[in-house]
Amino acid sequence: MLIPFEDSSPVDGEVPQVVKEVHSIFWWMLLSLFLALSVVRVVAEDVGGAFSSGLLALLVWCMIRDNCTKMTKVGCMLFIMVCTLQVFLDGITLCGSVGGRKKYTRLPSSGDDKRIVVTTVIESVPFFDASQGTTYNLQSATIVAAPALVALGVVLGYLSYSAFPSPPEEGYRDDDIIFLAPAAGGGRAYGSTTLGGGFGGGGGAGSSSSPTAANGNGNGNGNGLPREGGQAAIFAGPGRRLTD
């Protein structure tokens, strides 16, 4: 189950102003509707549905309290996932009841010591029927209202999720890459500005008997590639054949 972020500030930075000033109005409306649905479900003797609606109302309140300071992009995404699952479950119930709800009535059992007969009458009742009483019609109303409210929660959650700025994409830098290039003297020169230091094929780490053996300066800073403006030139240097 999703637990709201209580003692931590939003991990995605400051909450956008459009969420605080515009979206918050609709979030409070959604909270009121969830609470009302929960109360109606209690009256309609739907305890499980009342608990589900009350839990969604609690999640909404934890996100929007204190002027939405507890709302985060991750929290909106998780709320969307919960509401999407709830839309699917409530939608199945609605689709199975639109054509008429099934009413089961169990008659008193009969029989003797050797055999007991149990009779259950299955009656198809219209989705809304005034003759069935208030409780029955309240149950039908909540079957329609439940998926509609959670679908509204999905839309509102997506709008608030989209209002948060996306984190910047961090690309690779040239100085974070380890380069490999042929070096004079039959060996290869390895190095990068991140790791520092070059290694010549025949002269050991960071040094060589020839100034060009590691294509560096001979003091451990050779990188095996020419540099331009402090950055390694990736596709620079003389060409080599595999037979060289």
Side-chain angles (χ1 to χ4, degrees):
M1 187 50 62
L2 303 179
I3 304 300
F5 308 102
E6 289 292 340
D7 299 326
S8 60
S9 58
V11 297
D12 302 301
E14 184 67 21
V15 179
Q17 285 298 118
V18 66
V19 174
K20 294 181 178 180
E21 299 176 359
V22 180
H23 295 182
S24 61
I25 300 175
F26 297 97
W27 278 109
W28 282 107
M29 293 175 58
L30 182 64
L31 173 61
S32 302
L33 292 175
F34 273 135
L35 291 175
L37 178 61
S38 182
V39 172
V40 172
R41 279 181 155 177
V42 171
V43 176
E45 301 177 359
D46 184 8
V47 179
F51 176 79
S52 175
S53 300
L55 184 59
L56 289 174
L58 177 62
L59 293 177
V60 173
W61 178 79
C62 290
M63 288 196 301
I64 66 177
R65 66 190 181 95
D66 298 332
N67 197 22
C68 298
T69 55
K70 299 298 182 180
M71 183 179 293
T72 64
K73 191 169 186 177
V74 175
C76 290
M77 180 183 65
L78 297 179
F79 181 77
I80 293 171
M81 295 173 60
V82 172
C83 287
T84 302
L85 177 61
Q86 196 65 36
V87 167
F88 176 75
L89 297 177
D90 290 340
I92 293 177
T93 303
L94 177 60
C95 292
S97 303
V98 169
R101 295 175 56 189
K102 303 296 183 182
K103 187 176 181 180
Y104 299 87
T105 304
R106 183 174 179 179
L107 300 179
S109 59
S110 60
D112 50 25
D113 295 339
K114 295 182 179 180
R115 186 178 65 174
I116 299 177
V117 178
V118 178
T119 304
T120 301
V121 178
I122 303 176
E123 181 183 3
S124 181
V125 184
F127 193 67
F128 287 101
D129 189 354
S131 64
Q132 298 298 321
T134 304
T135 301
Y136 175 87
N137 288 281
L138 283 178
Q139 291 175 351
S140 298
T142 57
I143 291 175
V144 176
L149 281 184
V150 288
L152 180 61
V154 172
V155 174
L156 187 55
Y158 176 77
L159 292 176
S160 297
Y161 173 86
S162 302
F164 282 86
S166 300
E169 297 182 1
E170 297 181 359
Y172 293 100
R173 300 176 303 174
D174 290 345
D175 53 1
D176 288 335
I177 303 174
I178 300 178
F179 297 102
L180 171 63
R188 289 186 177 272
Y190 302 84
S192 72
T193 56
T194 300
L195 300 179
F199 298 86
S207 64
S208 173
S209 58
S210 173
T212 61
N215 202 14
N217 55 15
N219 57 3
N221 294 323
N223 290 326
L225 287 175
R227 308 187 67 82
E228 298 177 356
Q231 297 292 331
I234 302 178
F235 297 105
R240 291 288 193 275
R241 293 183 179 179
L242 294 178
T243 56
D244 289 350

